[in-house]
Amino acid sequence: MSFNNIYHGKKVLVTGHTGFKGSWLSIWLKQLGADVYGYALPPYSELDNFVTTNLESQITHFEGDVRDAAKLNDVFAKVQPEIVFHLAAQPLVLLSYEDPVGTFETNLMGVVNFFEAVRKTKSVKVAINVTSDKCYDNKEWVWGYRENDPMGGKDPYSASKGCAELITSSYVHSFFNNSSCLVASARAGNVIGGGDWAKDRIVPDYFRAFKANLKLTIRNPYATRPWQHVLEPLSGYLNLAATLYEKGKEYCGGWNFGPEDTSNYSVKDLVDRMLLIDNTGGYEIPENTVKPHEATLLKLDISKAVNYLNWRPVLSFDETAEFTVNGYKDDISEEGILNKRIEQINLYTSKAVQKKIEWAI
């Protein structure tokens, strides 16, 4: 079984399991034989992956806000997990302009509350805080950011993720250096795939426009992003936690999980590629629109994960687009979505085996 069978029979708690990445992670953990627990706010809509896969029936679901420290502590105390993944967050750049206070409260104090709960729960052996590629002070240079580059962020969301990394580092040095709990942070690129219907994201907007028989409006067509299917960073998170559990402290710290260096494409490139796979509509690019600041160029250097975790991306850009389009077609069909998610996980894993990637063998 994948990841050296580390997860089989273990109690694993995921915060933010009703969200896009958290729900996919919970499905994969369940397939790996883990006893999965989740703590999160209710899903935003009936279209969300958590709802359409009926994930609540597959795992132990606790509803709560990561800003509620007492409730979060109670769940940790009740579950006594061995491995924990923190994915609960306000994940949207544009929403962070509308609600900067809520963004900072969730993305900073949520991390503090998470680590306080970890500190108080002696059963926890591995804790992974998932942040974002936007945690870096983005100079919009052409080479990828490395894990030791400065944190930063011009918009509230990016700044909150930079702060979340600083909080993680502070807790590691202040409380976990001599602890039996091993802590790491994981930073991923722009993650896409079936089940994500969040506002102001290019791929959900594309399929919303298709369902409404409208043209997609692209606000930043030439912005370059490290596009990844959701299973790519999740394989990194699972690999990282399993390696920490098995091999120890030398794998603590920050880790980037992104596409190959040659796989950064623009928003327009992605939409054009999806249209080639399945001609589901068209798009328009408005002129002279005033919009909040978003980074134009952003790349991650994944050398550390490739060299020390023996992790690397599985899917090409074309395969990433194909997995994504197929995932949304599954959503739109509204039939057997959980089984179709599992089929994609199995297909992804088989491709990793073919490429002799260590975590899959």
Side-chain angles (χ1 to χ4, degrees):
M1 187 177 281
S2 307
F3 308 105
N4 277 349
N5 209 21
I6 290 294
Y7 294 99
H8 188 77
K10 293 200 171 53
K11 290 183 176 182
V12 182
L13 189 149
V14 179
T15 71
H17 68 291
T18 58
F20 171 48
K21 284 201 291 184
S23 58
W24 272 95
L25 178 61
S26 299
I27 293 168
W28 199 346
L29 284 165
K30 184 73 175 176
Q31 295 307 300
L32 293 170
D35 190 5
V36 185
Y37 300 80
Y39 179 89
L41 292 170
Y44 287 110
S45 79
E46 294 300 308
L47 293 172
D48 287 1
N49 199 43
F50 177 81
V51 178
T52 60
T53 60
N54 194 24
L55 186 56
E56 187 172 354
S57 69
Q58 302 294 311
I59 67 172
T60 304
H61 166 66
F62 295 96
E63 191 172 296
D65 193 319
V66 289
R67 292 173 290 186
D68 187 340
K71 190 169 186 178
L72 184 61
N73 285 328
D74 287 345
V75 169
F76 268 73
K78 181 176 183 178
V79 173
Q80 292 293 302
E82 295 173 77
I83 300 172
V84 293
F85 294 91
H86 182 57
L87 285 84
Q90 192 297 93
L92 301 174
V93 171
L94 292 185
L95 182 57
S96 77
Y97 283 105
E98 297 171 18
D99 183 18
V101 174
T103 298
F104 283 115
E105 285 178 344
T106 301
N107 294 355
L108 275 65
M109 287 310 301
V111 174
V112 171
N113 292 340
F114 169 75
F115 281 124
E116 283 297 298
V118 169
R119 278 215 300 152
K120 295 170 184 175
T121 310
K122 299 305 179 186
S123 63
V124 179
K125 300 295 185 291
V126 172
I128 306 293
N129 180 29
V130 175
T131 64
S132 167
D133 59 340
K134 295 176 181 63
C135 68
Y136 293 107
D137 183 13
N138 189 2
K139 308 292 188 185
E140 306 220 7
W141 52 40
V142 295
W143 52 87
Y145 292 91
R146 296 173 298 175
E147 287 83 352
N148 58 357
D149 281 324
M151 300 294 106
K154 295 180 176 64
D155 59 88
Y157 170 76
S158 301
S160 75
K161 288 303 184 178
C163 290
E165 287 286 354
L166 296 176
I167 290 167
T168 304
S169 178
S170 173
Y171 266 83
V172 167
H173 288 96
S174 300
F175 305 112
F176 293 112
N177 251 342
N178 298 308
S179 167
S180 60
C181 178
L182 302 169
V183 175
S185 67
R187 306 150 189 178
N190 280 53
V191 179
I192 56 178
D196 179 16
W197 292 95
K199 286 178 58 181
D200 300 318
R201 281 180 174 162
I202 188 64
V203 178
D205 286 349
Y206 173 94
F207 284 98
R208 266 191 290 267
F210 162 68
K211 288 176 70 175
N213 198 28
L214 298 171
K215 281 188 175 182
L216 170 70
T217 299
I218 304 180
R219 66 176 184 269
N220 288 310
Y222 303 108
T224 299
R225 295 287 183 266
W227 306 106
Q228 303 168 273
H229 187 266
V230 62
L231 295 177
E232 300 275 42
L234 296 188
S235 72
Y237 307 162
L238 290 165
N239 190 9
L240 174 58
T243 303
L244 278 166
Y245 193 96
E246 194 172 40
K247 298 183 179 179
K249 188 175 181 179
E250 64 186 289
Y251 294 92
C252 293
W255 297 84
N256 289 339
F257 299 102
E260 301 286 359
D261 186 56
T262 56
S263 295
N264 271 40
Y265 291 83
S266 72
V267 172
K268 184 176 180 297
D269 290 334
L270 177 64
V271 174
D272 285 339
R273 198 63 54 96
M274 290 194 297
L275 284 168
L276 283 175
I277 295 166
D278 191 66
N279 190 7
T280 49
Y283 62 84
E284 59 187 10
I285 301 171
E287 295 182 6
N288 303 320
T289 54
V290 177
K291 49 190 177 287
H293 173 271
E294 289 189 72
T296 302
L297 179 63
L298 186 58
K299 293 175 69 175
L300 291 174
D301 185 324
I302 60 172
S303 303
K304 182 181 175 185
V306 169
N307 289 306
Y308 292 101
L309 291 177
N310 295 313
W311 175 89
R312 68 179 190 273
V314 173
L315 304 177
S316 67
F317 181 64
D318 285 350
E319 289 172 318
T320 296
E322 183 177 359
F323 265 57
T324 299
V325 169
N326 288 340
Y328 279 94
K329 287 168 72 176
D330 292 339
D331 282 351
I332 292 167
S333 76
E334 299 181 354
E335 295 178 0
I337 295 176
L338 176 61
N339 288 334
K340 290 173 180 176
R341 300 293 192 240
I342 294 168
E343 287 173 9
Q344 277 208 330
I345 290 169
N346 291 338
L347 177 59
Y348 176 83
T349 301
S350 70
K351 287 178 177 289
V353 171
Q354 291 168 13
K355 292 189 174 184
K356 296 182 170 57
I357 296 176
E358 189 171 294
W359 62 261
I361 300 171

